[in-house]
Amino acid sequence: MAELGHTVICADIDEKKIEMLKRNEMPIYELGLEELVRKNVKEGRLSFTTDIAMAIQKSDAVFNAVGTPENKQTGQAEMKYVYAVAESFGKNLNGYKVLVNKSTVPVGTADKVAEIVRATSDGKNEFDIVSNPEFLREGAAIKDFLNPDRVAVGVSSDRARALMEKIYRPLARSGRPVLFTDVRSAEIIKYASNAFLATKISFINEIANFCEVAGGNVKEVAKGMGYDSRIGSRFLSAGIGYGGSCFPKDVKALIQTGKQYGQDFRILQAVDEVNDDQKLRPVTFLQKQFPSLEGKKIAVWGLSFKPRTDDIREAPALLIIKALVKMGANIVAFDPVAMDNTKQELEGVKIKYVTSSHEALKGADALIIMTEWDEFRTAEYATIKDLMKGNVIIDGRNILDRKEAEEAGFVYYGIGA
Ligand code: UGA
C-alpha cells in the first residue's frame, strides 16, 4: 500500500514484532521485502506502532489483517482476533472511516463486525464495513499484491466504494481488474478460490495415485490437461499434499460454515480426506522398501510447506517426520530457511539438523524430498550416491526424473511419476 503511494501506519499489539520492524528486521521471510520496507520507511510513507488508538484515529481506512487460525475443536475459523480489532475500531471512531476486512473470514462476518462497532462506538460517527479478501501467496506476496490477477472488494455503500476505488486506483490504472461486489459475495469469493485451488491439487494427486497403479506419468498427464485453457496448467503439480496456513484451514472452515447453513460440501470433504492420506505416502513407500524402519537413517530435504518461505504450518514434512520417528527411524533434516521454526515446533522430537543438503545424505538409507527448493532440483545423482549408504529416493514433489534416477542406480518413488 505504501508502494502505491498511500501513507500506511502498521499497528500491532505484539511489541516484539513492531520493535523488529522498526529496526528493519522482517518477521517473515520473503525475498525483496526488507528492501521494500526500508525504501517506504525512508520516503516517509510507512511507519510501525503499538499505539492502536493513534493508528485508527489518524486513518481513513483501517485494514484488519489479523489471523483467523483453525479452531482445532470445531474446524471453524477462530474469530476472536477479528472481533477484538472491531472493538478497537469502534472505540476509536473519530470521523467517517471504513473497516476493511483482509483476514479470511466466514460469510456474514461483516454483519457481526458492524454490530460490534456499533456497540463500542459513541454513535456520533458513520462507518462502513468492507470485505477485501487477500489472494497473496506466501513468498510471492509482493508480486501478487502489486500485480494481482484481481482485487475483490465487497461494499454496502457508495461512500465506501468511492474510498476503496481511490485506494486501489493505482492498480486499476495499470490495468488490473478491481471487482466491486456485495459484501457477502466478496467473503465467499475468498473461500471459493482457495477451496477450488485445493480441489485442483487433491484432484491431480488422485490422478497421480491412479497413474501409479495403472501406469502413466502424472507430469505428462497434467501437461496434457493444462494446455486446455478451460483447465489451465497451474496448481496441477502432484505431490505429498497441500499445507500452509491457508488451504488446510480454509477447506475445513468452508465445510463447517456450509453445515451451519444446511449445506453439505461433499467435494470439499473428499478434497480434505485425499490430502490427509496424500501426506503419508512417503511413509507407505518406505514401509514397502524396508520391513522395519527401526534404526534406518532417513535424510529429509525440505521442511517448509512450500519453497521460498520459512513457514512450516501444516507442512507435510512435520507429519511425515513424526510418523517416521515413532517407527524408530533416525531423521537427518535440512532446509535452507525453515530449520529454526521446525526446531521450535518439533521440540523434543529426535531430529538431527544439518547445514547442507549433502551433509544430510551421509550414510542415509533413504532420501525423502519434501519441499521443491531449487537447489534440490539440480542435485547430482553421482554425489548423492557417493554420500548415501542406501539407494532409495522418495521424491515427494516430483522434481527429479525417474529414468535418470534409475539409470544412476536408485530405487525411485515419485508421486505418480
Ligand atoms: C494460498 C493461495 O494460493 C493464495 O492465493 C491465498 O491468498 C493464500 O493461500 C491465503 O489464503 O492467504 P499459500 O498458502 O501461500 O497461498 O500457498 P500456495 O502457493 O497456494 O501453496 C499451498 C500448498 O499447495 C503448498 O503446500 C504447495 O506445495 C501445494 N501445491 C500447490 C501443490 O501441492 N501443488 C500445486 O500444484 C500447487
Side-chain angles (χ1 to χ4, degrees), residues 134-138 190 194 197 201 235-237 241-243 246-247 250 305-306 397:
E134 64 89 12
F135 303 105
L136 312 180
R137 284 163 304 161
E138 282 195 42
K190 167 68 196 211
N194 272 7
L197 293 170
I201 298 169
F235 279 71
L236 280 183
S237 300
Y242 58 77
C246 305
F247 288 174
D250 291 351
F305 80 98
K306 66 172 189 178
R397 298 292 176 184

Side-chain angles (χ1 to χ4, degrees), residues 79 82-83 101 105-114 129 184 187:
M79 296 300 293
V82 170
Y83 296 155
N101 210 345
V105 294
V107 60
T109 295
D111 296 336
K112 286 194 191 136
V113 165
I129 309 296
R184 286 192 174 232
E187 288 171 338

Side-chain angles (χ1 to χ4, degrees), residues 160-362:
R161 181 180 170 136
L163 180 56
M164 295 307 290
E165 268 174 353
K166 207 167 150 196
I167 290 173
Y168 283 115
R169 195 168 294 150
L171 293 180
R173 270 206 199 113
S174 59
R176 300 292 159 180
V178 180
L179 169 76
F180 282 90
T181 67
D182 64 275
V183 173
R184 286 192 174 232
S185 298
E187 288 171 338
I188 296 174
I189 286 171
K190 167 68 196 211
Y191 275 104
S193 302
N194 272 7
F196 186 79
L197 293 170
T199 303
K200 249 184 138 177
I201 298 169
S202 275
F203 180 86
I204 201 65
N205 282 339
E206 280 214 304
I207 296 291
N209 299 346
F210 181 60
C211 286
E212 241 162 70
V213 289
N217 181 335
V218 74
K219 288 199 255 189
E220 301 298 323
V221 175
K223 209 188 278 174
M225 289 168 64
Y227 282 127
D228 186 328
S229 59
R230 291 168 303 175
I231 298 173
S233 58
R234 296 172 72 191
F235 279 71
L236 280 183
S237 300
I240 50 175
Y242 58 77
S245 64
C246 305
F247 288 174
K249 92 169 159 67
D250 291 351
V251 168
K252 288 191 176 75
L254 187 52
I255 294 172
Q256 289 310 321
T257 311
K259 281 189 187 145
Q260 287 170 359
Y261 287 86
Q263 157 98 15
D264 197 6
F265 274 115
R266 283 171 295 172
I267 293 178
L268 295 184
Q269 258 146 28
V271 166
D272 189 37
E273 277 166 30
V274 168
N275 196 57
D276 278 348
D277 290 350
Q278 199 67 16
K279 289 192 228 168
L280 288 171
R281 280 196 93 72
V283 178
T284 317
F285 292 153
L286 277 179
Q287 282 172 320
K288 255 192 216 166
Q289 197 60 35
F290 303 108
S292 160
L293 287 173
E294 191 64 53
K296 290 279 178 269
K297 190 171 170 188
I298 313 293
V300 167
W301 278 5
L303 297 164
S304 56
F305 80 98
K306 66 172 189 178
R308 288 174 283 282
T309 172
D310 61 353
D311 195 338
I312 52 161
R313 285 176 287 178
E314 303 285 329
L318 306 193
L319 194 83
I320 297 165
I321 288 174
K322 281 194 271 187
L324 294 177
V325 168
K326 241 191 194 155
M327 293 171 176
N330 296 327
I331 303 293
V332 186
F334 169 74
D335 186 286
V337 296
M339 293 201 287
D340 285 345
N341 284 346
T342 312
K343 277 178 203 166
Q344 269 182 25
E345 178 67 25
L346 296 189
E347 209 194 325
V349 180
K350 209 178 137 234
I351 302 170
K352 187 175 170 202
Y353 297 92
V354 291
T355 52
S356 78
S357 55
H358 283 168
E359 211 183 322
L361 298 173
K362 282 181 193 159

